[in-house]
Amino acid sequence: MSNEAIVKPGTQKTLEASGAAIVNNTLAQADDASYSIATDGNYYPDARFVLTGTFATAPTENTTLVLYARPLNIDGTADADAPETTRPTQYIGVFAVNNVTTAQSLVLMAQNVPWEANYYIHNNGTGQTLSAGWKLLVTPCTIGPAA
Amino acid sequence: MTPNQQSALEGLISRSLTGDEIAAIDLLLPERNDVAIAAILSTGRVKTQPTPIGIGTVLAVMAPSGGEFLNALESKGATDANVKWALKMIEQQTFDVGHAVTRAQLEAFAGATPEMAAAVGALLAVAEVADPIHYNAVSDVLNIAEGLVTL
């Protein structure tokens, strides 16, 4: 069989290797790197985000850490405004948390991600602080024909 | 706890924090365990809601003093028009023990009749429901107090 549709992942990039603590109802930028589909993603339109972090006290089950994007260079060199807790700029998706204190690796598939953007994590009502040391990875991906 | 944090929490609950509450919350602030902070602030919080009642509720919750309470109202109703009509409402199961005026009158009655104060308290409690502080409300005021967000 050939030419069937398959997922084609690109090279994983670290957007944040060790983020500062994020208390409930605040947000923080994954500020180690931005992500560009041109320079980082082989022009693949989609991406898989993986957030790994811990809570010292178990968060409320099934509440969310939300991923926002701040698109960059959208009008020449002008960027969109940075997200706020009350305004996401560009909503990407959510990571639903487990009510545990062990490390959680959470995955989020996103389609048609911004061409170039900074990414932010909003601790949206978990009730607890996401401990310092969290990590955010992105892997470009697309669907194409098998060889 | 910084003055800003204390002021924010006291504003949220509309009263001053007790020494015990401050000591307990101090232990939770470094980790910002807002769920536990909200639980401390929620202890004992109640709000009243409209709760029409009748004779059956009076007899049930004021037992064994319910009958005596109704007799007292009937006796007082002979000279007090407000009590007379309040008794009518009890008979019609429309006496709202959640209404502020009703509650004030019942509390006055309890003050004047100490032997029935506990039973009247039980009747007042019928209209009370828990009024917890949600942890997101705690987070929001602390985040502002700590300069982490501006809303």
Side-chain angles (χ1 to χ4, degrees), chain B residues 12-89:
Chain B
L12 181 62
I13 60 176
S14 301
R15 64 171 175 81
S16 298
L17 291 170
T18 66
D20 287 347
E21 287 172 332
I22 291 172
I25 292 170
D26 272 342
L27 299 174
L28 301 166
L29 278 172
E31 193 182 291
R32 277 294 302 274
N33 186 341
D34 295 345
V35 171
I37 294 171
I40 290 170
L41 299 179
S42 297
T43 302
R45 277 177 62 90
V46 294
K47 62 182 176 184
T48 57
Q49 61 182 10
T51 309
I53 62 161
I55 290 174
T57 301
V58 170
L59 295 176
V61 304
M62 298 182 78
S65 306
E68 185 184 345
F69 173 72
L70 291 170
N71 285 345
L73 291 186
E74 191 173 48
S75 174
K76 193 172 171 90
T79 56
D80 186 327
N82 288 329
V83 174
K84 180 182 85 171
W85 291 107
L87 191 56
K88 289 282 187 191
M89 294 177 74

Side-chain angles (χ1 to χ4, degrees), chain A residues 23-27 56-58 60 63 84-86 124-129, chain B residues 30-36 134-137 139-140 143 146 148-151:
Chain A
V23 301
N24 187 46
N25 287 1
T26 65
L27 57 71
T57 302
T60 303
T63 50
E84 300 168 352
T85 54
T86 50
N124 185 33
T126 68
Q128 302 297 337
T129 300
Chain B
E31 193 182 291
R32 277 294 302 274
N33 186 341
D34 295 345
V35 171
H134 195 278
Y135 62 76
N136 278 333
S139 298
D140 288 343
N143 291 341
E146 296 172 17
L148 295 174
V149 296
T150 53
L151 297 178

Side-chain angles (χ1 to χ4, degrees), chain A residues 69-136:
Chain A
R70 178 191 191 187
L72 303 173
N73 300 316
I74 56 174
D75 181 4
T77 58
D79 307 326
D81 285 347
E84 300 168 352
T85 54
T86 50
R87 184 186 51 77
T89 302
Q90 184 163 346
Y91 171 88
I92 302 298
V94 300
F95 303 97
V97 302
N98 194 4
N99 60 341
V100 297
T101 56
T102 50
Q104 304 184 44
S105 289
L106 308 163
V107 66
L108 164 62
M109 288 298 302
Q111 296 180 314
N112 292 319
V113 297
W115 297 348
E116 183 179 5
N118 289 330
Y119 286 86
Y120 294 73
I121 298 295
H122 177 196
N123 184 341
N124 185 33
T126 68
Q128 302 297 337
T129 300
L130 177 65
S131 300
W134 57 272
K135 180 172 64 174
L136 182 65

